[in-house]
Amino acid sequence: MPRQGRPPARRRGEEKGHLQKEPPGGIATEPDDHGLGRSRGGLSTKLHLATEQGQKPMSIVITTGQRGDSPQFEPVLEKVRVPRIGPGRSRTRPDRVRADKAYASRKNRAYLRRRGIRCTIPDEADHAATARSWAPVVAAHRSSTRSTTANATRWSAASIA
């Protein structure tokens, strides 16, 4: 039943109008293919590199400074091209990837497994702590499952004989 005697509820900002006159990046925003981004420190750019062991660049992705590192992992690896000596297409799959903790997400590790690339990426401290906290629970579940399975096998063998 509708209430009578009251005006309908107003939405937020309707009374004063829209207070922000221009978009957060300013009126002239940077095109998507440029690598300038705004952050608290001003304009910034990030270079995401894949290098060989001799530190020669193999691929580079330029993003705005406020973009995260981990989402750029796949685009950087997809741009890797190693030309072969003689005829044949370029190699696109490195033998091994070494990266820092910023790239230790499950998504990045799954991507490397799918492509058959070995990796050396240290676990983040909070991930290792979570795994250690669950270890006793998992071990207890495994032992109870094993004893139940052993008992079921023993009883089924006794009933057959």
Side-chain angles (χ1 to χ4, degrees), residues 22-37:
E22 59 188 50
I27 294 172
T29 58
E30 200 64 27
D32 290 337
D33 62 341
H34 291 195
L36 281 175

Side-chain angles (χ1 to χ4, degrees), residues 30-48:
E30 200 64 27
D32 290 337
D33 62 341
H34 291 195
L36 281 175
R38 287 205 173 271
S39 63
R40 290 187 290 176
L43 296 174
S44 60
T45 300
K46 276 189 185 175
L47 304 175
H48 304 273

Side-chain angles (χ1 to χ4, degrees), residues 61-84:
V61 172
I62 299 172
T63 61
T64 58
Q66 70 266 22
R67 298 284 302 268
D69 291 336
S70 190
Q72 305 312 316
F73 187 72
E74 290 181 30
V76 169
L77 283 180
E78 286 170 2
K79 284 188 160 192
V80 171
R81 300 285 181 264
V82 180
R84 294 187 188 271

Side-chain angles (χ1 to χ4, degrees), residues 13-133:
E14 192 176 296
E15 181 179 293
K16 297 180 183 177
H18 189 65
L19 295 177
Q20 189 168 350
K21 301 288 184 207
E22 59 188 50
I27 294 172
T29 58
E30 200 64 27
D32 290 337
D33 62 341
H34 291 195
L36 281 175
R38 287 205 173 271
S39 63
R40 290 187 290 176
L43 296 174
S44 60
T45 300
K46 276 189 185 175
L47 304 175
H48 304 273
L49 275 175
T51 62
E52 64 166 345
Q53 287 184 343
Q55 278 114 35
K56 291 180 184 174
M58 295 171 65
S59 72
I60 185 170
V61 172
I62 299 172
T63 61
T64 58
Q66 70 266 22
R67 298 284 302 268
D69 291 336
S70 190
Q72 305 312 316
F73 187 72
E74 290 181 30
V76 169
L77 283 180
E78 286 170 2
K79 284 188 160 192
V80 171
R81 300 285 181 264
V82 180
R84 294 187 188 271
I85 299 172
R89 63 185 179 92
S90 300
R91 281 185 46 197
T92 58
R93 187 171 61 89
D95 294 329
R96 177 175 288 277
V97 169
R98 291 189 185 110
D100 65 1
K101 290 181 194 178
Y103 300 96
S105 71
R106 287 186 184 132
K107 181 182 176 189
N108 291 342
R109 290 180 188 274
Y111 171 76
L112 292 172
R113 271 194 304 276
R114 249 190 342 266
R115 290 193 61 195
I117 302 172
R118 292 178 292 166
C119 71
T120 304
I121 303 174
D123 284 328
E124 293 187 39
D126 59 340
H127 290 217
T130 303
R132 279 195 304 274
S133 70

